Amino acid sequence: MDLVTQNQCFGGTQSVYRHASAVCGVEMTFGLYLPPQARTRPVPLLWYLSGLTCTHENAMVKAGLQRHAAEHGLALLFPDTSPRGEGVADDEAYDLGQGAGFYVNATQKPWAQHYRMYDYVVTELPALLEAHFPLNGVSGITGHSMGGHGALTIAFRNPERFRSVSAFAPIVNPTRSDWGRKQFSAYLGDDEAHWGKYDACLLLSELGWRGDILIDQGAADQFLGQLQPEAMARLMAERRQPGMLRMQAGYDHSYYFVASFGEDHVRWHAERLNAA
């Protein structure tokens, strides 16, 4: 693991690391913020999964989460959204290939060789972090858009690893969305029976979630047709699932939206992770 950059930030350190990933078969890059509290004790970790076209850097630079994490004593992790580099399959479209890993384990050519973001997030990267950084083993997960999809599906399938989950404008029902059907067909094949384990609505219906859920959605989001928050709202009501899905008037899909409600999400996770 190589340190790429490191900067002081709100009394802690914002670092970027690069490492060889056995799961993805290429070098991967991630950002890690350690709050000032990490100098004296292990701290909980909040994962932030980014959306389409993003790298580790977008939320790290634009979302402004470090200030709130420092206040509450949380580490922040910003992984990349896909494998990258020479020899890694790609597509001319922005919503498939590099920058659009959808947090799945691809099974179809040419994607299967490198696109194993589910295993990377659930297994490989946590082991690396726990071995090298002052983390206490308590984790929550959040994300935006495609990353919100990743956060919800990964948490629902791995409640032993993630104690809390939230999302900003997530793709909640990708098996019924243009943002999902195209990618799942490419990465997973045309048999839709293999798609359900990456659909937050289907997983919540099947597995439930032991805690509560926080979702913020901009009411002026230009991608509401693909995100389908109403599907998750109906399901949460039908299941009497504890949580909140808040429609925020006037907000779109941008990082201005994420930054506006980031403090709420960090505080919400801190209350659950620090009490664990």
Side-chain angles (χ1 to χ4, degrees):
M1 185 167 57
D2 297 321
L3 177 64
V4 180
T5 62
Q6 188 169 81
N7 301 93
Q8 186 164 324
C9 182
F10 294 105
T13 55
Q14 177 62 67
S15 305
V16 174
Y17 294 91
R18 184 180 296 117
H19 72 105
S21 168
V23 166
C24 296
V26 294
E27 283 197 333
M28 297 290 288
T29 303
F30 65 87
L32 178 67
Y33 176 72
L34 291 176
Q37 295 86 340
R39 295 195 185 97
T40 57
R41 59 177 171 83
V43 295
L45 176 64
L46 177 58
W47 293 63
Y48 183 99
L49 304 185
S50 290
L52 286 167
T53 75
C54 290
T55 69
H56 68 280
E57 189 176 36
N58 294 72
M60 188 180 83
V61 172
K62 296 179 180 179
L65 302 180
Q66 293 90 338
R67 176 181 178 181
H68 315 305
E71 179 182 351
H72 295 286
L74 297 185
L76 294 171
L77 181 71
F78 305 97
D80 203 346
T81 54
S82 77
R84 299 177 190 271
E86 187 177 350
V88 176
D90 200 7
D91 191 271
E92 293 181 357
Y94 76 95
D95 58 356
L96 187 67
Q98 295 186 34
F102 263 78
Y103 304 99
V104 305
N105 285 339
T107 59
Q108 305 299 301
K109 294 181 178 180
W111 313 103
Q113 182 179 359
H114 299 292
Y115 284 75
R116 303 192 62 80
M117 290 301 296
Y118 178 86
D119 281 352
Y120 180 69
V121 170
V122 171
T123 303
E124 185 178 40
L125 193 49
L128 182 70
L129 296 167
E130 291 163 10
H132 292 280
F133 300 103
L135 305 173
N136 67 6
V138 179
S139 297
I141 190 167
T142 188
H144 174 231
S145 193
M146 178 185 73
H149 140 78
L152 293 171
T153 56
I154 287 171
F156 294 164
R157 291 176 61 182
N158 300 276
E160 75 290 347
R161 179 169 291 282
F162 297 99
R163 301 280 186 92
S164 57
V165 62
S166 74
F168 301 86
I171 307 168
V172 298
N173 199 191
T175 60
R176 295 292 175 265
S177 169
D178 290 341
W179 277 355
R181 294 190 63 83
K182 170 185 176 179
Q183 294 80 6
F184 288 1
S185 178
Y187 296 146
L188 306 174
D190 293 330
D191 185 352
E192 297 185 21
H194 300 303
W195 297 4
K197 60 185 177 181
Y198 300 113
D199 185 299
C201 282
L202 296 181
L203 287 171
L204 185 61
S205 179
E206 177 186 354
L207 302 176
W209 175 248
R210 65 185 177 190
D212 50 354
I213 302 167
L214 174 61
I215 297 174
D216 273 308
Q217 172 63 63
D221 193 312
Q222 59 270 46
F223 302 113
L224 279 174
Q226 290 95 319
L227 302 173
Q228 301 184 18
E230 65 277 4
M232 180 60 73
R234 285 195 299 267
L235 181 59
M236 290 175 67
E238 290 169 2
R239 289 187 54 86
R240 299 181 181 178
Q241 169 65 46
M244 295 181 288
L245 195 160
R246 309 187 300 188
M247 296 296 296
Q248 303 291 0
Y251 284 90
D252 59 15
H253 199 69
S254 70
Y255 270 99
Y256 296 112
F257 161 65
V258 175
S260 296
F261 299 99
E263 181 178 8
D264 287 357
H265 283 246
V266 173
R267 181 176 62 248
W268 187 88
H269 282 278
E271 290 170 353
R272 287 147 184 80
L273 299 178
N274 286 326

